[in-house]
């Protein structure tokens, strides 16, 4: 095995997809206006509005931590709080950035089932305290697909947004793996966002095949007020913006974003199916997106690592996480499955 072998630690181990690469190349001709006043940025925003079938406000940031943090900050004041799942990326993997960029809005974790919040768990946290001493709940953030590879169905989303409306909460969606969710459900982007009551979506480009970049879509346009200033202040306004926006044109213009999501999902299904009969390997969560979480004996985890496989064991609730990406090769999935089988001694 060489250093460049495909791994399953994260979907961001992958490189740049051809469509994004080609668009970068096309954008790299002559001079163009800076700070987002260029044609590529206009086109990318227009593609998003067409794809989502609505006149949303579109912004671009370098990564998901910034996109999530700035989006959440725009949905609340510093004395407000944000309800999230205990496994949410904003809670466990953003180094306090949501609190930092919102000047102190506290994250409140709610119980989740397979990584998903429920109307009941939101209600419990939102109604726990209503006195002046407690940070007032103002936002709910959900992750689609979730950190443990599950997907919210449209009816689940609608039930959550109804609860949010009733309780006066804004609804944010971390869509680092939004393409995987759309592909799994066969739903349109609109159905999984604004039609289901989502106010703001952070649409992940990096894990979908780009080098860098996430788009922030405000379906509720008045929440986007001054968001451009927020991005600039946080160091997220790219001066050569066309290189952040052009890859989106590449991904969106012929549906590559969805094909890649579907491909990654298929690889995860394949991996799960190749090990699901092993009695000492347990699927920890339903495989719905591009991740497979396996509970395995400690010795098996060590043996897999010794064979050179890279994967995380601290995401979700223990066990080994295997992520597939836009370019995962089926052969590599089969190699991994074969190594798991031989180590377990099936
Ligand atoms: C990868 C990921 C992000 C973005 O992370 P960055 O490293 O900041 O780009 C956000 N949310 C989830 C659920 C992720 O998996």
């Amino acid at each position: 095995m060489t250093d460049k072998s495909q791994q399953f630690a994260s979907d961001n181990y992958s490189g740049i997809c051809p469509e994004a690469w080609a668009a970068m190349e096309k954008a790299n001709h002559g001079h163009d206006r800076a700070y987002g006043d260029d044609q590529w940025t206009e086109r990318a925003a227009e593609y998003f509005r067409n794809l989502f079938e609505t006149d949303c406000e579109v912004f671009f940031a370098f990564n998901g931590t910034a996109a999530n943090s700035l989006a959440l900050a725009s949905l609340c004041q510093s004395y407000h709080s944000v309800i999230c799942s205990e496994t949410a990326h904003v809670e466990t993997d953003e180094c306090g950035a949501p609190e930092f960029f919102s000047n102190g809005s506290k994250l409140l974790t709610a119980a989740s089932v397979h990584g998903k919040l429920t109307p009941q768990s939101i209600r419990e946290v939102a109604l726990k305290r209503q006195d002046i001493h407690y940070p007032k709940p103002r936002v709910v953030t959900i992750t689609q697909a979730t950190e443990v590879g599950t997907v919210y169905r449209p009816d689940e989303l609608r039930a959550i947004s109804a609860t949010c409306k009733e309780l006066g909460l804004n609804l944010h969606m971390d869509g680092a793996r939004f393409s995987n969710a759309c592909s799994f459900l066969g739903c349109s982007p609109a159905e999984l966002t604004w039609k289901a009551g989502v106010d703001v979506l952070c649409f992940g480009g990096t894990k979908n095949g780009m080098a860098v970049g996430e788009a922030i879509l405000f379906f509720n346009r008045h929440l986007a007020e001054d968001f451009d200033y927020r991005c600039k202040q946080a160091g997220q306004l790219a001066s050569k913006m066309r290189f952040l926006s052009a890859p989106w044109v590449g991904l969106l213009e012929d549906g590559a974003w969805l094909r890649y999501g579907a491909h990654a999902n298929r690889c995860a299904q394949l991996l799960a199916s190749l090990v699901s009969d092993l009695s000492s390997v347990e699927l920890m969560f339903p495989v719905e997106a591009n991740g497979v979480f396996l509970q395995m004996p400690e010795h098996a985890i060590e043996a897999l690592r010794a064979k050179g496989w890279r994967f995380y064991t601290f995401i979700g609730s223990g066990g080994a996480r295997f992520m597939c990406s836009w370019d995962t090769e089926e052969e590599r999935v089969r190699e991994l499955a074969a190594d798991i089988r031989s180590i377990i001694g099936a």
Side-chain angles (χ1 to χ4, degrees):
M1 185 184 305
T2 70
D3 275 341
K4 304 295 180 214
S5 299
Q6 290 198 341
Q7 291 287 352
F8 296 82
S10 179
D11 22 4
N12 57 23
Y13 270 43
S14 62
I16 305 168
C17 70
E19 291 83 355
W21 187 264
M24 289 270 271
E25 174 117 55
K26 273 193 215 149
N28 194 28
H29 286 288
H31 284 204
D32 210 335
R33 292 188 192 200
Y35 299 111
D37 289 332
D38 62 283
Q39 301 238 322
W40 287 96
T41 304
E42 185 49 41
R43 270 176 77 192
E46 215 32 53
Y47 274 122
F48 274 115
R49 288 191 270 266
N50 286 334
L51 180 65
F52 283 81
E53 308 168 63
T54 189
D55 189 23
C56 52
E57 291 264 16
V58 182
F59 301 88
F60 300 96
F62 289 102
N63 64 25
T65 298
N68 282 336
S69 301
L70 296 173
L72 291 173
S74 73
L75 301 183
C76 58
Q77 299 289 331
S78 58
Y79 49 83
H80 285 139
S81 53
V82 176
I83 298 172
C84 66
S85 126
E86 64 241 334
T87 51
H89 196 270
V90 290
E91 160 72 8
T92 64
D93 290 286
E94 298 190 357
C95 197
E99 294 92 330
F100 177 76
F101 282 110
S102 61
N103 285 311
S105 303
K106 191 175 166 67
L107 295 185
L108 303 176
T109 57
S112 56
V113 183
H114 290 338
K116 294 191 268 186
L117 292 179
T118 62
Q120 190 198 340
S121 68
I122 291 167
R123 196 177 293 276
E124 265 165 30
V125 173
L127 299 177
K128 189 166 112 188
R129 291 264 301 268
Q130 282 156 310
D131 57 83
I132 193 77
H133 306 287
Y134 198 66
K136 189 177 179 185
R138 174 51 55 88
V139 187
V140 169
T141 174
I142 54 179
T143 310
Q144 177 79 316
T146 71
E147 290 77 1
V148 298
T150 53
V151 170
Y152 287 92
R153 310 301 193 266
D155 62 319
E156 293 175 312
L157 295 172
R158 285 193 299 269
I160 285 174
S161 77
T163 303
C164 289
K165 269 216 176 61
E166 181 196 325
L167 300 174
L169 307 169
N170 292 315
L171 184 55
H172 165 263
M173 179 179 277
D174 173 351
R177 300 189 179 92
F178 188 69
S179 66
N180 306 95
C182 290
S183 162
F184 174 73
L185 295 170
C187 288
S188 72
E191 279 175 278
L192 296 185
T193 54
W194 63 274
K195 285 187 179 172
V198 172
D199 294 304
V200 183
L201 167 72
C202 294
F203 190 137
T206 311
K207 288 170 184 148
N208 203 192
M210 286 171 44
V212 283
E214 317 278 304
I216 303 127
L217 277 56
F218 285 84
F219 304 110
N220 184 339
R221 291 176 67 104
H222 84 260
L223 292 171
E225 191 185 335
D226 290 347
F227 193 73
D228 44 353
Y229 289 89
R230 213 179 265 288
C231 288
K232 173 68 190 183
Q233 185 185 49
Q236 291 290 317
L237 177 63
S239 69
K240 292 191 181 178
M241 180 69 93
R242 64 183 145 139
F243 298 108
L244 208 55
S245 54
W248 280 115
V249 172
L251 269 183
L252 299 181
E253 69 186 346
D254 76 337
W257 70 278
L258 190 59
R259 281 199 304 279
Y260 287 137
H263 171 81
N265 288 2
R266 270 197 304 277
C267 290
Q269 289 295 340
L270 176 64
L271 176 60
S273 72
L274 291 172
V275 298
S276 62
D277 61 314
L278 297 171
S279 58
S280 48
V281 173
E282 204 173 321
L283 270 185
M284 298 169 67
F285 306 101
V287 179
E288 299 179 341
N290 60 328
V292 180
F293 287 74
L294 299 178
Q295 194 79 64
M296 286 189 284
E298 197 52 42
H299 75 86
I301 287 184
E302 281 162 26
L304 266 181
R305 289 226 162 93
K307 277 181 173 284
W309 293 103
R310 291 175 190 275
F311 49 91
Y312 291 140
T313 48
F314 62 87
I315 296 185
S317 34
R321 182 188 84 157
F322 300 93
M323 298 305 299
C324 299
S325 30
W326 66 271
D327 68 342
T328 296
E329 291 159 7
E330 187 181 315
E331 201 38 49
R332 198 65 183 140
V333 176
R334 293 187 185 279
E335 275 173 46
L336 171 61
D339 277 351
I340 294 173
R341 296 191 75 86
S342 73
I343 284 165
I344 298 285

